[in-house]
Amino acid sequence: MDLQLGLALPIHDLARGSEPKDQEASYKKWVNNKRCHGEAFGEYSSGKSQLLAWSGGPNEDDDPSTRRSKFSCSINKFSYSEGADDDDQVVGWPPIKSWRKTFVHGQRPPRQDHHENVRQAQKENGEPDHNMLVKVKMEGVAIVRKINLQTYRSYNSLKGALIAMFSRYNRDDFKDHASYILTYQDKEGDWLLAGDLPWLNFVESVHRLQIQRSRD
Amino acid sequence: MNYFPDEVIEHVFDFVTSNKDRNTISLVCKSWYRIEKFSRQRVFIGNCYAISPERLIGRFPGVKSLTLKGKPHFADFNLVPHDWGGFVYPWIEALARSRVNLEELRMKRMVVTDDALELISRAFVNFKTLVLVSCEGFTTDGLAAIAANCRFLRELDLQENEVEDHRGQWLNCFPESCTSLVSLNFACLKGDINLAALERLVARSPNLKSLKLSRAVPLDTLQKILVRAPQLVDLGVGSFVHDPESETYSKLLTAIEKCKSMRSLSGFLEVAAYCLPAIYPICSSLTSLNLSYAPGIPGSELTKLIRQCRKLQRLWILDCIGDKGLGVVASSCKDLQELRVFPSDPYGVGNAAVTEEGLVAISKGCPKLNSLLYFCQQMTNAALQTVAQNCPNFIRFRLCILDPTKPDSSTDQPLDEGFGAIVQSCKGLRRLSLSGLLTDQVFSFIGKFAEQLEMLSIAFAGNSDKGMLYVLTGCKKIRKLEIRDCPFGNIALLTDVGKYETMRSLWMSSCDVTLGGCKTLAKKMPRLNVEIINENEEMEECIDDRQKVEKMYLYRTLVGPRKDAPEHVWTL
C-alpha cells in the first residue's frame, strides 16, 4: 500500500506540504484544532470535587487562526509532567475506570485555593502536591527517597514498604520489622513517633519521614 | 426430525448451547421455533434498552439465566451522566409478575437499588447466582436481603461496584442453613465486616471454591479461613499485613501450603511487601494473578514473586513493575495469554513506568498472548510491528499511551503503521483500542484488514470524515464503536445509516456531528434511538441545528424511545 505520509500531516483545514522544519509545529497545530468541552463536568463523579476540563488559555503554539471551534483549547497544556495542575487534565483520560482510581489510589486530592491551607506534603517549588510525595530518610543511608503516601492505608503497610525499599542498602534481614522505628516531622517542625495519630490525620500532618533501627 | 415428539427434539436442542446457533435453529420452521422458544434458558441482552422485559418474557418464557448490560462503556470514565439510566428494577418487577423462574442474573453497568435486590430475593425461589459488575445504587442492606432470603444461593459476585456501606452485618444474614455457597466476592466493599460471621459462613460452605475478601478482613482472619477452606481455587486477599515473626504468620504459612487447589490469586488490597513470601509455595501452580489493586509493592518484590509463577496464563499488574520487570515476566511466564498493565499513578501527573520495550519483551517471550491492556509512556511503530509479528493471536488489543496524541517516540511519525501491522497480522482481532498520534490512514488499515473486529475505541485520532467512513464501510462485523474528540462529522455519520442497525451502538462525543445531523439520522432510522446527552445549560435556549453535539449515543432498539431518560438526555 502506498502511504501518503509526508513529513507534514495532511492536516484538516491547514495548507498541505509544510516545510520539514514545520513538522513539529504542524503536529501541534493539528493538536490545537481539537475542540474542548470548556465545561464544568459535574458533581456526580463519585464525590470528586474537581473540575476536569480543558483549559483554555494561551500557549506558545496556539494559533488563533486555526481554531475550528468556538471553544479554545490546547492539548499542549495537557501534559503529563509532574506537578501539572488539575485544570490541565482531560475528562475521562486516561481511560481508567473511575472506580479503580478511587478504590485503589484514593480520592483525587482537592485543589488548594488558598496558600494558607496548603497541605504539608509539598514539593520544593511550593505547588500543591496531588500525590502526597514525602521525603523519607533511612538512618545510615545517604540517599533520601520519596514516596507517595496515598498508596498506603496503615502504618504497617507504610513501614513494610519503606523497609523493603531500603533493604537493598541494608544487608540485614529486613523481615524483622518490629525493630524499626518510624518517626515523622510535622508541620510545626517537631519530630514525633509515628503511630499515635489515626492514619488519615497522620497523612495530613506529615512533612517528612525517617526510619531507623532501634538501638536496643 | 419432524417425526420425533417435541421432547426428543428439545433434548437434541439441549446440546446446542450457543445463542447464535439457537437463533438459527428457531428460523427453520414454526415447530422448531416453538420448541426452541420454550426451552431457551440463557438469554444475553447487551443493551437493556434494545428490548423490553415484557417482550423478553413473551419470547422466552422459560428463561432461567439473564445477562443485562446498561450504560455505555464510556460511563466507566465519567463521560456519561450519573442518572442516565440502566435501571434494573422494571426488569425484576416484570419477571416477578410473570412468575419467571429466574435462577441467575448477571448485570453490568446497571443501576441496582436495594428494592430490586430485595425483590429478587423474595420473588425467585430457586435463585442461585447474582453477579454485579460496575453497578451502583445499592447498599449492604440489599445484600442482606439476598443473603437472608436466597435459600439456594451459590454465587454472589460483586466486581468493582459502588456500594454504600451500612456497616457490615449483612454477612450475619446468611442463615445457618445456607451451605450452598460456591463463590463469594465482596472485595469492593469498603466498610467493616463481621469477621466471626465470615469464618462461620466459610466453615459451613464445603463447596466454596472462590472467595474474594474486602480490605476489612485482616491476615489473621485469612489464616483461619484458609484452614477451613483448603479447597479454594480462587482467592482474593483483603489485608495482608502482619509481623512476619509472629505465630499468626507462621500459621498462615502452614495453611497456605495446604491449599493445593489454588489457581488464582487477587486482591492484596492492603499489603506489606515483606509478607509476600508467604504465598511463594502456591506460585508454581497459579494460572491467574491480579496485583492491580495493590499499590505500593516495589517492582523488585513483584518480580521475585512472578519469577515463580511459571504457569501463569493471566496477569494483571501495575506499571511499577517496569520494563525490566516485564522482561522477567517474559522469561518466566511462557504460557501467558492475557496481560493488563495499569498505571500506578492514574491521576496522570507522573510518568508511566513502562514503555514499548516492556511490550516488545513480552511479545518475544509469550507467543500465546491473545489479550492485552497496556498503559504506557510511549510507543513506536517498530515496536508494534515486532509485537504484531511475534503475537499473531491477539483477540483483544488495547493500547493506551498516557499522552493521547503522542507520535512514535523515536521517529515522531504517527502510529498508523504500527497499528496497521497489528490488524494485518492478527486476523482474529475482535477488540481494539487506539491511542497516540493517528491519522485517517490507520482507519484505512482497520477497514481493510480488521475483518473480525467487533469493538473499536477511538480517541483524539483522525483528520477527516474519511477516517470514520473507512471503519463503517470496511469492518463488516463491527458492533460497538465509541469515539471521542475526533474530527468526524455529519458526512461520516450519515453516509450509511443502515449500518447502525447491524450494530449494537455508536458513541460519539466532542466530535463534529451537529444537532441537525443527528436529527436527520433519527428521522431516517426509526428503529434507532438517537440520544443527545447534554449537560450544558446553554443548549436548552439555543437549539440551533448547526450546533455541535457534545455527546451522542445511538443504539438499535425494538421498543422505541425509552421513558426513563432524565431531563438532559433527549431522544430525537
Side-chain angles (χ1 to χ4, degrees):
Chain A
M1 173 175 287
D2 220 12
L3 296 174
Q4 295 306 317
L5 289 179
L7 286 173
L9 287 178
I11 293 164
H12 186 86
D13 279 350
L14 296 182
R16 292 171 183 247
S18 347
E19 303 277 317
K21 67 173 155 54
D22 288 341
Q23 182 189 359
E24 207 194 74
S26 46
Y27 284 129
K28 288 185 177 171
K29 278 182 191 165
W30 175 81
V31 143
N32 274 346
N33 279 339
K34 291 292 164 215
R35 64 196 293 277
C36 29
H37 301 270
E39 188 44 47
F41 185 60
E43 292 302 312
Y44 61 84
S45 37
S46 42
K48 288 200 189 81
S49 56
Q50 254 336 281
L51 303 183
L52 298 175
W54 288 99
S55 84
N59 175 290
E60 66 268 295
D61 291 321
D62 201 7
D63 179 0
S65 67
T66 65
R67 286 193 201 150
R68 292 191 290 112
S69 80
K70 61 175 180 166
F71 301 105
S72 73
C73 87
S74 55
I75 281 198
N76 284 338
K77 282 195 80 178
F78 179 57
S79 62
Y80 287 102
S81 54
E82 278 190 57
D85 239 2
D86 267 12
D87 274 355
D88 296 339
Q89 300 300 308
V90 181
V91 179
W93 192 271
I96 304 171
K97 271 191 186 172
S98 47
W99 182 90
R100 176 179 277 277
K101 277 193 204 178
T102 45
F103 185 77
V104 181
H105 303 275
Q107 285 286 346
R108 192 197 183 99
R111 196 155 153 258
Q112 298 296 335
D113 290 323
H114 308 289
H115 290 295
E116 306 87 79
N117 291 343
V118 156
R119 280 177 288 105
Q120 288 312 301
Q122 268 194 12
K123 296 163 72 158
E124 262 111 35
N125 58 10
E127 280 180 358
D129 186 342
H130 302 297
N131 276 338
M132 301 185 84
L133 291 180
V134 182
K135 287 187 180 170
V136 192
K137 178 152 191 344
M138 177 170 259
E139 196 194 24
V141 175
I143 302 171
V144 171
R145 305 286 298 269
K146 263 190 195 165
I147 56 158
N148 180 0
L149 272 186
Q150 276 240 6
T151 57
Y152 306 99
R153 308 252 179 275
S154 70
Y155 290 103
N156 269 339
S157 57
L158 170 62
K159 206 168 159 187
L162 293 179
I163 294 168
M165 188 190 301
F166 283 108
S167 67
R168 63 178 80 173
Y169 304 114
N170 182 349
R171 279 188 212 106
D172 299 335
D173 182 3
F174 69 87
K175 277 204 234 173
D176 184 16
H177 94 301
S179 70
Y180 285 92
I181 299 179
L182 187 63
T183 53
Y184 71 102
Q185 187 179 38
D186 69 5
K187 54 185 165 184
E188 268 105 52
D190 299 323
W191 280 94
L192 303 165
L193 194 63
D196 293 331
L197 288 183
W199 174 253
L200 289 174
N201 293 13
F202 165 74
V203 161
E204 271 165 30
S205 48
V206 70
H207 180 56
R208 137 194 341 249
L209 288 166
Q210 174 151 310
I211 185 161
Q212 59 204 77
R213 290 203 85 140
S214 74
R215 298 197 197 285
D216 50 56
Chain B
M1 274 282 271
N2 279 342
Y3 303 113
F4 293 138
D6 286 359
E7 301 79 52
V8 173
I9 300 182
E10 190 182 313
H11 183 64
V12 174
F13 287 177
D14 275 351
F15 292 98
V16 182
T17 48
S18 134
N19 277 344
K20 219 168 155 220
D21 290 342
R22 291 191 75 114
N23 290 345
T24 310
I25 287 179
S26 317
L27 297 175
V28 167
C29 64
K30 279 193 187 155
S31 154
W32 281 28
Y33 178 91
R34 184 181 35 86
I35 296 170
E36 200 283 318
K37 162 182 169 142
F38 286 102
S39 62
R40 178 94 60 124
Q41 293 187 347
R42 299 183 167 282
V43 177
F44 172 86
I45 296 178
N47 174 6
C48 64
Y49 290 119
I51 187 91
S52 69
E54 290 74 26
R55 284 187 65 163
L56 162 70
I57 296 164
R59 176 75 179 83
F60 297 119
V63 61
K64 288 208 164 73
S65 163
L66 179 61
T67 303
L68 277 173
K69 293 189 176 183
K71 297 184 191 178
H73 175 233
F74 275 178
D76 282 351
F77 318 129
N78 283 346
L79 287 173
V80 176
H82 198 54
D83 53 356
W84 173 86
F87 307 106
V88 78
Y89 191 82
W91 287 84
I92 310 296
E93 195 180 37
L95 291 164
R97 227 181 312 122
S98 304
R99 298 183 209 279
V100 167
N101 187 6
L102 195 68
E103 291 184 12
E104 300 181 355
L105 184 58
R106 295 176 172 82
M107 292 180 275
K108 189 167 186 180
R109 284 188 220 104
M110 303 276 304
V111 176
V112 181
T113 55
D114 284 344
D115 285 345
L117 291 176
E118 196 179 350
L119 186 51
I120 291 171
S121 77
R122 286 188 290 104
F124 306 119
V125 175
N126 292 317
F127 197 74
K128 295 192 173 65
T129 297
L130 183 65
V131 179
L132 300 176
V133 180
S134 301
C135 297
E136 57 179 351
F138 62 105
T139 77
T140 47
D141 293 344
L143 297 179
I146 296 282
N149 302 330
C150 299
R151 292 171 43 203
F152 304 114
L153 194 68
R154 289 170 36 115
E155 212 177 314
L156 177 59
D157 186 357
L158 308 172
Q159 297 176 31
E160 303 192 341
N161 302 289
E162 208 48 74
V163 186
E164 198 180 297
D165 213 302
H166 289 174
R167 313 245 117 238
Q169 297 310 313
W170 66 277
L171 265 182
N172 295 23
C173 296
F174 280 104
E176 289 302 311
S177 54
C178 173
T179 57
S180 48
L181 275 181
V182 174
S183 167
L184 178 63
N185 173 4
F186 59 92
C188 63
L189 297 187
K190 297 177 214 158
D192 284 335
I193 285 288
N194 185 322
L195 299 176
L198 174 62
E199 288 174 45
R200 285 195 306 270
L201 179 61
V202 172
R204 65 177 185 276
S205 303
N207 298 318
L208 195 65
K209 292 279 186 293
S210 170
L211 179 63
K212 295 187 184 167
L213 308 169
S214 67
R215 200 178 273 145
V217 181
L219 189 142
D220 56 319
T221 304
L222 173 66
Q223 178 264 317
K224 291 182 202 158
I225 286 174
L226 290 180
V227 167
R228 300 283 199 175
Q231 78 280 6
L232 282 176
V233 172
D234 178 14
L235 175 67
V237 174
S239 171
F240 205 66
V241 181
H242 217 277
D243 182 350
E245 307 290 299
S246 65
E247 198 190 327
T248 303
Y249 188 81
S250 60
K251 279 196 209 165
L252 176 71
L253 291 178
T254 316
I256 288 182
E257 267 166 23
K258 296 214 172 89
C259 296
K260 302 279 185 213
S261 307
M262 198 75 79
R263 295 289 172 272
S264 166
L265 212 50
S266 63
F268 296 95
L269 308 176
E270 182 188 52
V271 57
Y274 54 76
C275 289
L276 284 176
I279 61 172
Y280 288 175
I282 48 173
C283 285
S284 55
S285 32
L286 285 183
T287 56
S288 168
L289 180 61
N290 179 354
L291 294 174
S292 68
Y293 300 123
I297 303 180
S300 53
E301 293 302 312
L302 289 175
T303 46
K304 259 197 244 173
L305 185 66
I306 291 171
R307 236 184 255 280
Q308 308 182 50
C309 303
R310 307 195 78 85
K311 290 209 181 126
L312 222 50
Q313 294 172 16
R314 173 160 60 161
L315 176 64
W316 290 25
I317 197 108
L318 292 175
D319 66 3
C320 47
I321 194 174
D323 285 333
K324 283 222 183 81
L326 290 177
V328 172
V329 174
S331 54
S332 315
C333 310
K334 295 304 185 188
D335 285 337
L336 198 67
Q337 294 178 27
E338 176 179 334
L339 175 67
R340 294 198 189 187
V341 181
F342 295 92
S344 37
D345 189 1
Y347 292 109
V349 288
N351 292 323
V354 296
T355 68
E356 76 279 10
E357 286 181 22
L359 186 57
V360 167
I362 291 281
S363 73
K364 288 191 177 141
C366 312
K368 293 186 192 172
L369 199 64
N370 61 44
S371 175
L372 179 75
L373 173 60
Y374 195 72
F375 286 85
C376 59
Q377 181 66 17
Q378 63 191 43
M379 188 49 58
T380 65
N381 284 311
L384 286 173
Q385 282 158 343
T386 307
V387 170
Q389 203 173 5
N390 294 337
C391 297
N393 299 316
F394 275 115
I395 297 174
R396 273 169 240 112
F397 190 88
R398 295 153 71 188
L399 185 72
C400 177
I401 303 170
L402 287 184
D403 180 350
T405 56
K406 193 166 180 170
D408 177 319
S409 54
S410 58
T411 66
D412 260 356
Q413 294 295 307
L415 288 170
D416 301 334
E417 289 300 303
F419 281 105
I422 294 286
V423 294
Q424 196 168 356
S425 163
C426 305
K427 308 218 185 299
L429 194 68
R430 299 208 297 255
R431 183 171 181 181
L432 179 63
S433 297
L434 308 170
S435 61
L437 186 66
L438 295 163
T439 72
D440 285 344
Q441 182 64 271
V442 72
F443 300 111
S444 159
F445 289 141
I446 291 173
K448 185 166 176 191
F449 295 113
E451 286 168 17
Q452 303 300 319
L453 196 65
E454 297 178 5
M455 182 170 179
L456 179 61
S457 309
I458 311 172
F460 307 101
N463 310 112
S464 72
D465 288 320
K466 277 203 283 188
M468 185 168 162
L469 283 170
Y470 284 135
V471 173
L472 290 175
T473 48
C475 299
K476 301 292 178 216
K477 293 198 177 174
I478 194 99
R479 292 189 298 116
K480 289 180 280 183
L481 184 53
E482 45 186 28
I483 305 173
R484 62 164 295 178
D485 293 273
C486 295
F488 303 144
N490 292 342
I491 294 174
L493 184 69
L494 296 172
T495 296
D496 179 7
V497 293
K499 175 78 175 176
Y500 304 123
E501 273 193 6
T502 69
M503 292 167 55
R504 183 186 298 171
S505 65
L506 168 67
W507 168 282
M508 292 180 77
S509 59
S510 304
C511 297
D512 289 348
V513 294
T514 67
L515 187 57
C518 295
K519 281 184 181 171
T520 306
L521 177 58
K523 198 160 173 209
K524 284 190 183 173
M525 303 294 294
R527 284 197 302 208
L528 296 181
N529 277 352
V530 180
E531 293 187 6
I532 306 296
I533 298 167
N534 187 16
E535 295 147 286
N536 181 357
E537 307 246 339
E538 254 176 62
M539 283 281 265
E540 288 177 31
E541 285 154 27
C542 56
I543 322 170
D544 185 341
D545 279 1
R546 286 166 303 172
Q547 191 127 15
K548 288 185 192 172
V549 157
E550 273 303 323
K551 296 173 184 172
M552 179 202 73
Y553 179 56
L554 68 82
Y555 51 90
R556 66 181 175 191
T557 178
L558 293 175
V559 291
R562 57 188 174 110
K563 300 187 181 62
D564 62 1
E567 254 186 48
H568 47 259
V569 175
W570 307 332
T571 306
L572 296 178

